[in-house]
Amino acid sequence: MSRRPRPRPPLPQRDGLDPVRLRLGPHVQGTAFTVLAERFPPVLDPAARPLTERFARGEIVRADGSPWTADDPARTGDELWFHRELRPEPRADQPELPILLHDEHLLVIDKPHGVATMPRGEHVLRSALVRLRQSTGLEDLAPIHRLDRPTAGVLAFSCRREERSAYQDLFAQRRVRKVYRAVVVADETLPLGADMLLEDRLVKDRSVLQARVETGAPNARTRLRVVAVGDGRAEVELVPQTGRTHQLRLQLASRGWGIVGDPLYPQVRDAEAVLAAEGPLRLLAAELAFTDPITGEPRDLASPRSLEP
């Protein structure tokens, strides 16, 4: 069953960004000002406009769009909606976002390495979602799956809010074929033509950068095929059958086949130093195929990028 779309926010988008929604959980006590300051500390950043001024201007609103005042009591279940204050971001020399498909239902791009899918951290205005909303004017544009920022390749967005859940359900129900390619450090254990199933139990703690392999029943499966070898490296084709966090990167690294340019696996390294020495992460979302749940037609999209050895 498709998920019901969330109600529209009470505030419009700003610069391609949705407003922030803060829903208050149990045991909340305090005014709107104190609760917001405690649960969203960036609003008190010295570089941001004073929070008292934002309340006075009616910029912090309830779910029905009515404004909060700073002294209003805030209770469990209340919602505070507001726009985040953004730090300046370097916008020069942004890589192009080549479009592979754009119709009334879908917008699919060939995402470059280093571009975030969603606004996050220091990559907000530079994220693919915000840039595409700004360039197309499609306020309801939203990703139906995600790629890590270092990963390049096929990335699909839904154009219509009412259709989004139908596309997202394809991924949740594993009715999408995804094919990746990677260049890895290799030895004689990865001969040309090798074909194997990688099975592991992967665990990811929210507060830790890396996922890890543990003993136990496998929850991560990937089909691997070696398509080229040479100079201590191999190019492999990867078809994940599950979707765990960092699945491909960890499954390869844990076997001694770390992806070239990976600053996270097998050990954490300085990202800028790795980029300078090895180039971008050699991981590409090469193909994405599924039957369109809206039109019924086959969708088979491929990135024209190649992975340099």
Side-chain angles (χ1 to χ4, degrees):
M1 177 184 290
S2 296
R3 291 164 287 184
R4 296 178 61 185
R6 292 178 62 184
R8 286 192 175 275
L11 291 172
Q13 287 180 4
R14 178 185 293 173
D15 296 324
L17 276 171
D18 292 321
V20 176
R21 171 182 177 256
L22 178 62
R23 190 173 190 277
L24 304 184
H27 313 300
V28 171
Q29 289 184 340
T31 64
F33 181 99
T34 58
V35 168
L36 180 54
E38 289 172 0
R39 285 160 175 74
F40 201 85
V43 296
L44 297 183
D45 190 312
R49 284 184 300 121
L51 185 54
T52 51
E53 177 183 328
R54 300 191 64 190
F55 272 106
R57 293 170 63 92
E59 297 179 6
I60 318 296
V61 305
R62 295 177 169 83
D64 62 4
S66 60
W68 286 91
T69 67
D71 295 328
D72 284 339
R75 301 179 177 87
T76 298
D78 284 339
E79 294 184 6
L80 289 80
W81 290 79
F82 56 95
H83 284 286
R84 70 188 88 184
E85 297 270 302
L86 300 177
R87 296 179 181 273
E89 291 183 31
R91 305 288 292 276
D93 301 324
Q94 292 185 120
E96 294 295 321
L97 303 177
I99 293 178
L100 302 175
L101 169 72
H102 188 191
D103 61 19
E104 60 183 315
H105 306 288
L106 290 172
L107 192 159
V108 184
I109 66 168
D110 184 23
K111 187 183 85 66
H113 295 283
V115 174
T117 298
M118 299 282 288
R120 185 177 182 182
E122 298 179 353
H123 297 260
V124 176
L125 299 177
R126 291 175 290 171
S127 66
L129 176 61
V130 171
R131 290 179 59 191
L132 290 169
R133 280 178 174 174
Q134 291 175 348
S135 65
T136 64
L138 294 172
E139 293 187 357
D140 288 341
L141 196 71
I144 58 176
H145 66 118
R146 301 189 187 185
L147 295 179
D148 290 342
R149 185 166 63 85
T151 305
V154 182
L155 178 62
F157 297 79
S158 167
C159 296
R160 294 180 171 178
R161 184 184 185 87
E162 64 272 17
E163 297 174 352
R164 185 185 310 166
S165 62
Y167 286 111
Q168 291 173 334
D169 284 345
L170 290 177
F171 290 84
Q173 297 166 10
R174 300 176 186 171
R175 292 189 286 137
V176 177
R177 174 177 166 81
K178 296 181 284 186
V179 179
Y180 290 78
R181 287 183 177 258
V183 174
V184 302
V185 177
D187 53 24
E188 65 277 0
T189 62
L190 272 184
L192 181 65
D195 190 329
M196 63 190 78
L197 179 65
L198 310 182
E199 294 186 291
D200 297 286
R201 181 167 187 81
L202 306 185
V203 177
K204 175 69 167 66
D205 297 326
R206 178 171 295 183
S207 59
V208 180
L209 284 175
Q210 292 180 312
R212 64 184 184 276
V213 178
E214 289 191 348
T215 58
N219 60 4
R221 296 176 178 82
T222 302
R223 174 65 62 180
L224 177 150
R225 184 170 64 90
V226 181
V227 298
V229 296
D231 297 324
R233 294 182 176 183
E235 183 173 342
V236 297
E237 179 184 88
L238 303 160
V239 182
Q241 299 175 3
T242 55
R244 313 299 298 186
T245 299
H246 298 167
Q247 175 172 318
L248 303 181
R249 298 163 71 177
L250 177 52
Q251 285 195 294
L252 291 168
S254 66
R255 290 168 170 79
W257 309 326
I259 300 176
V260 175
D262 193 342
L264 195 56
Y265 297 98
Q267 66 273 337
V268 178
R269 299 181 289 167
D270 180 82
E272 293 301 323
V274 173
L275 182 63
E278 303 178 18
L281 179 71
R282 300 298 206 280
L283 179 61
L284 176 69
E287 300 176 31
L288 191 67
F290 55 90
T291 299
D292 194 300
I294 306 301
T295 68
E297 64 183 296
R299 303 284 197 178
D300 196 346
L301 300 138
S303 168
R305 295 178 190 270
S306 62
L307 289 173
E308 297 181 4

